[in-house]
Amino acid sequence: MEPTIELPSIEVLSSEPQSTELPKTKPPVMETPSMETPIIEPSILEFLTIEPPAMESPAMDSPAMESPMIELPTLHERIESLQALLQILTAEARQDEHARKELLGVTMKAMASLETPAETILRMMHSPIVPSVMMTIIKMGALHAIVNSDTPMTVTQLANVTGADELLLVRLLRPLVALRFFLETDVETYTSTPISQAMTIPHILGGFQFLSAGATKSLAYLPEYLAMTHFRSVNSFPGPFEYAMGGDNSAKQGMFEWLISDPLMLANWHAFMSGRRGQRKQWYDIFPADKIILEGASHGDDGTLLVDIGGGEGQDAESFRTKFPDVAGRVVVQDLPEVICTIEKLDHRVMRMEHDFFMSQPVKDARAYYFRNIFHNWPDSSCLKILENTALAMKRGYSKLLMFEWVLPERDVPLFPALLDINLMALLSGMERTEAQWRKLLDSAGFEIVKFWKTSPDTEGMIEAVLKGEVGSSDEL
């Protein structure tokens, strides 16, 4: 009887739904002695290869020996082993954001290579369906009903709570179950998942509703608008948003005016922006604030250290003051009256000021004029007006311009900022910019760039600039 190699027994772990919050249960990991992270069993790694182990050559004077038959793992068995390995890697990557993004990128590339061209195109064709279905579930109240329920809900119970037809509910929930937004625990019986639970978080829900009402319609009309302009670059008003909302006559009301006219949508916008600012790392936690603005700043309490222009409800300004409580100088947050009046809580050390950045800047000679994700909302012509107003308030040789924005690479732009760029085109006639585009824009407004402070292509960076003709205070570019 010919010898065979016995393959290791491997337990295939079931996949969990995607999570935007901490999962209810801990992800499965392999138990290891005195280790915080799971160890990958060597048998699993060996099992993923199809190469048989090397055999020792028989001695020349020994009798001829038959090579043993090697029972290789089947493709299906290796796929099961890969699933187990991915489960282990996922558990480890949750503890390291850089590793998580790296692993996500690998799996996305694998998906792209495994999909046939027809499958990819079909998925793109169907992509508008899910947001439409999800928005309907939100409007009828089914999302919160399922998430807030301690036990799975039948479709009859959902119909009683929402007033919706049972058949309609079943049809709408089918694709959301397939995408793991909800789980179907029994026939026409539903419970929530980490995805649907995350959707009820105020800033995520607000952002979804805002983008559904504004961006979805603008993007739907984008091809028609661009064809009407003979496919010219979008760099002025009225743009795609005005065209989508106003038809052939193009409404003069831009996106921000539209927001102000709708209190509910404005609340969604504020929740969305507040949540995004709260989740992101602050620039001074990534880049050296001491080197950029604190060194050389005036030590007098009557001077202004930082002006956060278009700073919303003051999260960044408050965070900066909390980080540097003993540094002298005022910290000011500026925004439109409609925004400033909505601020409920703000550190008393942060000064609130109503200001339209298309008007003359009232705070003169500040150490830093700070903009976070402002310029990507506007075409170049509007950005020039903001920059020129800021330049007139700056003190030569002292004041600095700080812009926390995306700086796109010249090629191979990551998917998120690439999609964000199209979204900005459709909503605001705005754009994300490359390093060369930033240089051109700032040069036109009378600035020179001291340094692009960047970490990686898939995160925002800081642009440090001064008035033309000044000697930069940072490292060479």
Side-chain angles (χ1 to χ4, degrees), residues 281-339:
K281 287 186 176 181
Q282 293 290 345
W283 65 272
Y284 48 76
D285 290 328
I286 308 171
F287 309 118
D290 287 348
K291 190 175 188 63
I292 296 174
I293 65 170
L294 299 185
E295 291 178 3
S298 172
H299 297 294
D301 290 331
D302 56 343
T304 301
L305 179 64
L306 180 79
V307 186
D308 184 0
I309 305 167
E313 297 180 340
Q315 295 91 341
D316 282 22
E318 183 175 59
S319 178
F320 180 86
R321 177 44 79 197
T322 301
K323 178 74 173 182
F324 305 102
D326 300 324
V327 177
R330 293 186 303 168
V331 174
V332 181
V333 59
Q334 296 178 335
D335 215 308
L336 295 173
E338 296 86 354
V339 177

Side-chain angles (χ1 to χ4, degrees), residues 445-465:
F447 289 90
E448 60 182 350
I449 293 173
V450 176
K451 185 167 183 174
F452 286 98
W453 297 88
K454 295 182 287 186
T455 55
S456 65
D458 61 351
T459 58
E460 296 145 302
M462 174 72 76
I463 305 168
E464 178 186 355

Side-chain angles (χ1 to χ4, degrees), residues 295-450:
E295 291 178 3
S298 172
H299 297 294
D301 290 331
D302 56 343
T304 301
L305 179 64
L306 180 79
V307 186
D308 184 0
I309 305 167
E313 297 180 340
Q315 295 91 341
D316 282 22
E318 183 175 59
S319 178
F320 180 86
R321 177 44 79 197
T322 301
K323 178 74 173 182
F324 305 102
D326 300 324
V327 177
R330 293 186 303 168
V331 174
V332 181
V333 59
Q334 296 178 335
D335 215 308
L336 295 173
E338 296 86 354
V339 177
I340 295 296
C341 72
T342 65
I343 299 176
E344 296 180 357
K345 295 181 180 180
L346 189 65
D347 192 310
H348 69 279
R349 296 170 297 176
V350 176
M351 179 180 177
R352 313 177 193 192
M353 183 179 293
E354 297 178 357
H355 174 59
D356 181 345
F357 47 53
F358 288 112
M359 307 300 290
S360 176
Q361 172 57 252
V363 180
K364 310 295 184 184
D365 302 337
R367 175 58 169 165
Y369 294 87
Y370 170 73
F371 296 84
R372 181 165 188 165
N373 297 133
I374 297 298
F375 292 97
H376 73 172
N377 291 332
W378 302 94
D380 284 354
S381 57
S382 299
C383 290
L384 282 173
K385 293 179 182 178
I386 301 171
L387 289 168
E388 288 167 355
N389 287 332
T390 305
L392 291 173
M394 294 173 66
K395 181 179 180 180
R396 182 170 293 277
Y398 178 74
S399 298
K400 291 192 176 186
L401 173 70
L402 302 180
M403 304 160 65
F404 199 77
E405 296 274 357
W406 288 94
V407 181
L408 301 181
E410 296 294 338
R411 56 169 292 178
D412 296 328
V413 178
L415 180 60
F416 177 73
L419 293 177
L420 182 58
D421 179 50
I422 304 302
N423 213 34
L424 291 165
M425 179 198 304
L427 277 171
L428 293 159
S429 299
M431 65 184 297
E432 301 295 356
R433 295 173 173 88
T434 64
E435 187 173 310
Q437 289 168 326
W438 282 118
R439 287 187 184 278
K440 181 179 178 181
L441 175 63
L442 287 166
D443 179 75
S444 300
F447 289 90
E448 60 182 350
I449 293 173
V450 176

Side-chain angles (χ1 to χ4, degrees), residues 138-351:
I138 291 170
K139 282 183 174 292
M140 69 169 59
L143 170 66
H144 282 86
I146 296 174
V147 170
N148 293 335
S149 177
D150 294 330
T151 58
M153 296 188 70
T154 66
V155 70
T156 301
Q157 290 173 320
L158 282 171
N160 290 336
V161 170
T162 64
D165 184 81
E166 289 190 17
L167 178 58
L168 176 63
L169 278 163
V170 170
R171 296 176 67 187
L172 291 173
L173 287 168
R174 282 172 183 159
L176 299 179
V177 168
L179 290 169
R180 311 294 285 181
F181 275 77
F182 301 102
L183 288 180
E184 196 167 12
T185 59
D186 202 343
V187 177
E188 298 181 355
T189 305
Y190 310 93
T191 192
S192 64
T193 70
I195 303 176
S196 50
Q197 292 159 18
M199 184 64 84
T200 62
I201 297 172
H203 73 265
I204 296 179
L205 181 61
F208 192 90
Q209 293 180 98
F210 156 69
L211 290 172
S212 177
T216 300
K217 189 171 183 179
S218 298
L219 289 166
Y221 277 90
L222 183 61
E224 184 177 313
Y225 170 84
L226 292 175
M228 182 189 70
T229 66
H230 303 289
F231 302 102
R232 302 278 74 82
S233 180
V234 179
N235 57 12
S236 62
F237 300 105
F241 177 87
E242 291 81 7
Y243 178 78
M245 296 299 185
D248 294 335
N249 295 323
S250 294
K252 293 182 179 180
Q253 189 181 55
M255 194 205 79
F256 288 113
E257 291 80 9
W258 169 73
L259 280 176
I260 291 172
S261 69
D262 186 336
L264 179 59
M265 201 54 61
L266 183 61
N268 286 331
W269 164 263
H270 282 321
F272 184 37
M273 291 296 103
S274 297
R276 291 182 65 199
R277 286 174 181 260
Q279 286 186 325
R280 296 174 181 174
K281 287 186 176 181
Q282 293 290 345
W283 65 272
Y284 48 76
D285 290 328
I286 308 171
F287 309 118
D290 287 348
K291 190 175 188 63
I292 296 174
I293 65 170
L294 299 185
E295 291 178 3
S298 172
H299 297 294
D301 290 331
D302 56 343
T304 301
L305 179 64
L306 180 79
V307 186
D308 184 0
I309 305 167
E313 297 180 340
Q315 295 91 341
D316 282 22
E318 183 175 59
S319 178
F320 180 86
R321 177 44 79 197
T322 301
K323 178 74 173 182
F324 305 102
D326 300 324
V327 177
R330 293 186 303 168
V331 174
V332 181
V333 59
Q334 296 178 335
D335 215 308
L336 295 173
E338 296 86 354
V339 177
I340 295 296
C341 72
T342 65
I343 299 176
E344 296 180 357
K345 295 181 180 180
L346 189 65
D347 192 310
H348 69 279
R349 296 170 297 176
V350 176
M351 179 180 177

